[in-house]
């Protein structure tokens, strides 16, 4: 019989202080650049969360302490600690004092939670403490890319989270992968995951953000998000995966009236719950701030979706609060037997791949063009290798083994329609031109079929003689062939 393990009582302390009116900006600046040694000392004292709020010159500090997490033999850099105390101490008119609690609402009231921990981030928490190299990847749409930020590589939520990790773990050599493509859904994410993320490194932590861009179709979202999870887990059983749910103006308006988040979030949560993955609900956090009157949508964004720098800082703070609680090594050794459950959807895109168009059997005038570019391109790098055709009737064929097939392409001003035949069946026309094509070229995907029998199939694609009336041509610029093997 094992020995009974006694644990200390966790506690929360609330303290108040007052700043000199002329030192407010100095104090806030200091806390935007806290030395890593100071944060390390706080954590080794058993502090699991520390938040400071300001109203005028008055400060309120809320500290969560778990004595079991205190490192008894911690080493303190006395010089850095002394200098930090001197710099911050000069800012105070009245130093920190304990606040006296006079009232507490009884438990049982429904509360809003900004994240769901589930199985947490135990694997990467262990590696961050014991390892020297860690890879963190982000896959998502334009919000993850940093659209709307003054500098996407410095002030987006992705960049801010990366900076936070580097400050907190200065001894770790981080590799960060940015696999965001604006305007794309989790379906494209599932097909490009291998090329854009998994082939670059053994990823330790993968953030997945598509709750704004997905169209609300439950089957499609689950099929894609589950595909991402299963593909990543098979690639590296030790990977931690976290879903990110970002906000949009229409979602805020709907939530204000009926307290319901956008459908995509509930669809993604099904997958997160099934695989016990943590998820961070930025959307809910932002919507509640708007309802309380703390902020307005116009304060954080100039359009329907994309935050400004202030908005991105709020987004990052929600994620950082989650990481502050999760990236703490458990006292006991963490064992992680690898065993994926059966899939929610047997047609999920867990074997999604991008194939080169060079595998096709060509005819007529289809040809590869390397380094194609134009000034009118959006959500894509300046150049692209494309498989190009522009003459109605030009056709090619390829074969694959799997359950789903499609293409990714760059659609723009002169994009035409295509006709597709599967396994010798009748051709059907697929329009590709939409209202965005009038403004720029951008990446889109078309999935021809997603519930095929497992086996080998043949696809014929030809350029249609039909096109949208406002398109200037019949051009088709294919990036990759998409298959779910």
């Amino acid at each position: 019989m094992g020995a009974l393990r006694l644990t200390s009582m966790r506690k929360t302390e609330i303290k108040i202080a007052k700043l000199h009116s002329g030192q407010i900006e100095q104090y806030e600046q200091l806390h935007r650049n806290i030395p890593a040694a100071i944060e390390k000392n706080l954590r080794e004292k058993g502090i699991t969360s520390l938040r400071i709020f300001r109203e005028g010159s008055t400060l309120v500090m809320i500290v969560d302490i778990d004595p079991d997490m205190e490192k008894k033999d911690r080493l303190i850099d006395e010089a850095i600690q002394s200098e930090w105390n001197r710099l911050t101490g000069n800012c105070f008119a009245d130093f920190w004092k304990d606040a006296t609690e006079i009232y507490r609402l009884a438990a049982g009231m429904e509360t809003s939670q900004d994240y769901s921990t589930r199985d947490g981030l135990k694997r990467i928490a262990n590696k961050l403490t014991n390892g020297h190299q860690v890879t963190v990847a982000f896959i998502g749409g334009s919000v993850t890319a940093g659209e709307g930020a003054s500098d996407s590589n410095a002030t987006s939520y992705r960049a801010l989270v990366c900076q936070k990790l580097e400050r907190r773990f200065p001894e770790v050599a981080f590799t960060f992968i940015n696999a965001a493509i604006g305007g794309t859904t989790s379906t494209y994410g599932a097909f490009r995951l291998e090329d854009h993320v998994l082939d670059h490194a053994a990823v330790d932590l993968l953030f997945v953000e598509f709750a704004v861009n997905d169209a609300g179709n439950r089957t499609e979202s689950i099929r894609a998000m589950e595909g991402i999870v299963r593909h990543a887990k098979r690639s590296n059983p030790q990977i931690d995966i976290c879903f990110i749910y970002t906000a949009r103006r229409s979602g805020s308006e709907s939530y204000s009236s009926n307290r319901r988040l956008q459908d995509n979030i509930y669809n993604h949560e099904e997958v997160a719950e099934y695989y016990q993955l943590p998820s961070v609900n930025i959307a809910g956090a932002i919507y509640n701030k708007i309802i309380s009157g703390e902020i307005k949508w116009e304060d954080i964004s100039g359009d329907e979706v994309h935050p400004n720098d202030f908005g991105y800082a709020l987004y990052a703070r929600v994620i950082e609060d989650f990481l502050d609680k999760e990236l703490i090594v458990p006292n006991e050794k963490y064992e992680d037997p690898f065993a994926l459950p059966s899939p929610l959807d047997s047609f999920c895109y867990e074997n999604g791949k991008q194939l080169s168009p060079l595998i096709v059997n060509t005819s007529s005038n289809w040809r590869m063009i390397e380094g194609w570019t134009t000034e009118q391109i959006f959500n894509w790098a300046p150049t692209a290798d494309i498989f190009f055709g522009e003459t109605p009737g030009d056709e090619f064929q390829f074969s694959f083994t799997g359950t789903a097939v499609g293409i990714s392409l760059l659609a723009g001003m002169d994009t035409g329609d295509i006709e597709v035949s599967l396994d010798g069946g009748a051709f059907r026309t697929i329009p590709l031109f939409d209202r965005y094509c009038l403004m720029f070229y951008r990446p889109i995907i078309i999935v021809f079929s997603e519930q095929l029998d497992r086996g080998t199939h043949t696809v014929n694609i030809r350029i249609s003689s039909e096109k949208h009336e406002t398109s200037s041509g019949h051009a088709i610029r294919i990036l990759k062939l998409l298959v779910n093997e």
Side-chain angles (χ1 to χ4, degrees):
M1 182 175 178
L4 181 64
R5 179 170 176 258
L6 299 176
T7 59
S8 303
M9 184 69 70
R10 298 183 183 185
K11 59 181 180 179
T12 297
E13 296 180 352
I14 301 177
K15 299 177 180 291
I16 57 174
K18 194 174 185 63
L19 297 173
H20 291 295
S21 59
Q23 294 294 317
I24 293 175
E25 176 56 34
Q26 170 68 8
Y27 186 79
E28 292 192 347
Q29 179 61 39
L30 287 169
H31 283 76
R32 285 192 287 267
N33 298 280
I34 296 178
I38 298 298
E39 286 197 343
K40 181 173 181 289
N41 182 41
L42 292 172
R43 295 186 185 286
E44 291 182 349
K45 288 172 64 176
I47 294 176
T48 59
S49 174
L50 188 155
R51 291 168 290 170
I52 299 176
F53 303 86
R54 181 179 66 82
E55 174 60 33
S57 60
T58 299
L59 300 177
V60 177
M61 178 167 61
I62 302 176
V63 187
D64 296 324
I65 304 171
D66 183 351
D68 284 340
M69 301 304 298
E70 183 179 0
K71 187 175 180 181
K72 304 300 183 182
D73 58 346
R74 66 184 184 276
L75 298 176
I76 300 174
D77 191 318
E78 299 288 354
I80 293 178
Q81 186 68 57
S82 177
E83 179 64 7
W84 176 255
N85 291 342
R86 184 187 69 81
L87 291 172
T88 56
N90 291 337
C91 299
F92 286 97
D94 293 307
F95 203 64
W96 294 110
K97 299 176 183 177
D98 290 331
T100 301
E101 181 178 303
I102 62 171
Y103 173 77
R104 178 178 295 189
L105 184 63
M109 178 180 175
E110 182 179 354
T111 59
S112 172
Q113 190 173 5
D114 296 343
Y115 49 83
S116 296
T117 301
R118 300 189 177 94
D119 195 34
L121 302 178
K122 301 180 181 70
R123 305 163 192 85
I124 190 174
N126 274 297
K127 188 166 184 179
L128 284 167
T129 299
N130 303 315
H132 299 288
Q133 295 183 333
V134 168
T135 298
V136 179
F138 298 78
I139 189 168
S142 56
V143 175
T144 294
E147 182 71 22
S150 60
D151 182 345
S152 62
N153 292 318
T155 59
S156 66
Y157 91 78
R158 169 181 49 80
L160 294 172
V161 169
C162 293
Q163 293 164 24
K164 172 73 172 182
L165 288 171
E166 288 179 319
R167 288 197 308 270
R168 179 169 169 185
F169 302 98
E171 71 284 359
V172 174
F174 282 100
T175 297
F176 297 111
I177 298 174
N178 173 17
I181 299 179
T184 63
T185 67
S186 60
T187 298
Y188 193 15
F191 284 108
R192 65 187 179 86
L193 177 70
E194 187 171 285
D195 281 356
H196 293 179
V197 177
L198 302 180
D199 281 352
H200 290 270
V203 177
D204 300 294
L205 174 59
L206 174 65
F207 289 105
V208 185
E209 176 273 312
F210 288 107
V212 166
N213 287 3
D214 278 6
N217 182 298
R218 176 184 174 275
T219 298
E220 186 65 15
S221 280
I222 290 178
R223 189 165 287 171
M225 295 293 282
E226 180 177 39
I228 290 172
V229 171
R230 295 180 71 86
H231 197 159
K233 279 288 188 181
R234 284 190 291 102
S235 172
N236 177 17
Q238 295 301 316
I239 192 173
D240 276 323
I241 302 172
C242 179
F243 288 179
I244 302 291
Y245 308 141
T246 56
R248 62 184 308 148
R249 182 194 296 269
S250 60
S252 171
E253 294 167 352
S254 175
Y255 187 81
S256 295
S257 63
N258 59 26
R259 295 301 189 273
R260 179 172 173 80
L261 300 162
Q262 53 258 42
D263 288 344
N264 293 332
I265 293 178
Y266 298 106
N267 297 336
H268 292 190
E269 275 288 89
E270 284 193 55
V271 177
E273 180 65 28
Y274 185 72
Y275 290 95
Q276 286 299 289
L277 306 176
S279 57
V280 180
N281 185 13
I282 296 173
I286 294 297
Y287 299 161
N288 283 319
K289 286 180 181 293
I290 292 174
I291 288 173
S292 70
E294 185 177 343
I295 59 172
K296 296 181 291 187
W297 181 262
E298 292 76 14
D299 296 332
I300 67 168
S301 174
D303 59 22
E304 171 72 12
V305 171
H306 305 108
N308 52 31
D309 285 354
F310 173 63
Y312 275 123
L314 293 181
Y315 280 30
R317 195 171 304 159
V318 180
I319 299 173
E320 290 167 3
D321 285 349
F322 164 71
L323 294 178
D324 282 343
K325 293 184 182 300
E326 283 303 301
L327 297 184
I328 299 173
V329 179
N331 290 323
E332 68 277 5
K333 183 178 180 182
Y334 180 68
E335 299 293 340
D336 182 33
F338 173 58
L340 278 173
S342 59
L344 286 166
D345 187 329
S346 61
F347 290 102
C348 73
Y349 304 137
E350 64 177 306
N351 296 300
K353 295 182 183 296
Q354 298 187 123
L355 303 180
S356 168
L358 291 175
I359 71 169
V360 309
N361 299 313
T362 63
S363 63
S364 304
N365 297 314
W366 284 93
R367 63 190 187 278
M368 285 297 303
I369 299 177
E370 295 183 357
W372 181 84
T373 189
T374 175
E375 292 182 356
Q376 296 169 300
I377 198 165
F378 190 61
N379 289 335
W380 195 258
T383 64
D385 296 339
I386 59 171
F387 191 51
F388 181 70
E390 59 181 343
T391 304
D394 279 358
E395 182 177 341
F396 68 85
Q397 180 188 93
F398 69 96
S399 297
F400 73 99
T401 301
T403 63
V405 62
I407 58 174
S408 60
L409 66 149
L410 292 174
M413 295 79 170
D414 60 351
T415 295
D417 297 343
I418 58 172
E419 298 168 350
V420 177
S421 167
L422 286 172
D423 296 329
F427 279 91
R428 62 187 176 95
T429 301
I430 300 179
L432 302 177
F433 194 93
D434 59 23
R435 60 190 179 94
Y436 295 107
C437 291
L438 294 170
M439 297 180 282
F440 41 66
Y441 291 87
R442 78 190 198 284
I444 65 171
I445 69 166
I446 302 294
V447 177
F448 305 142
S449 185
E450 68 280 350
Q451 292 187 199
L452 296 168
D453 294 335
R454 297 186 184 277
T456 300
H457 302 276
T458 300
V459 182
N460 285 69
I461 298 176
R462 72 186 180 201
I463 299 176
S464 175
S465 59
E466 303 294 325
K467 70 177 183 66
H468 193 278
E469 60 183 6
T470 56
S471 173
S472 62
H474 295 272
I476 306 296
R477 295 175 176 84
I478 294 175
L479 293 166
K480 296 289 185 179
L481 310 177
L482 310 177
V483 299
N484 186 49
E485 293 181 344

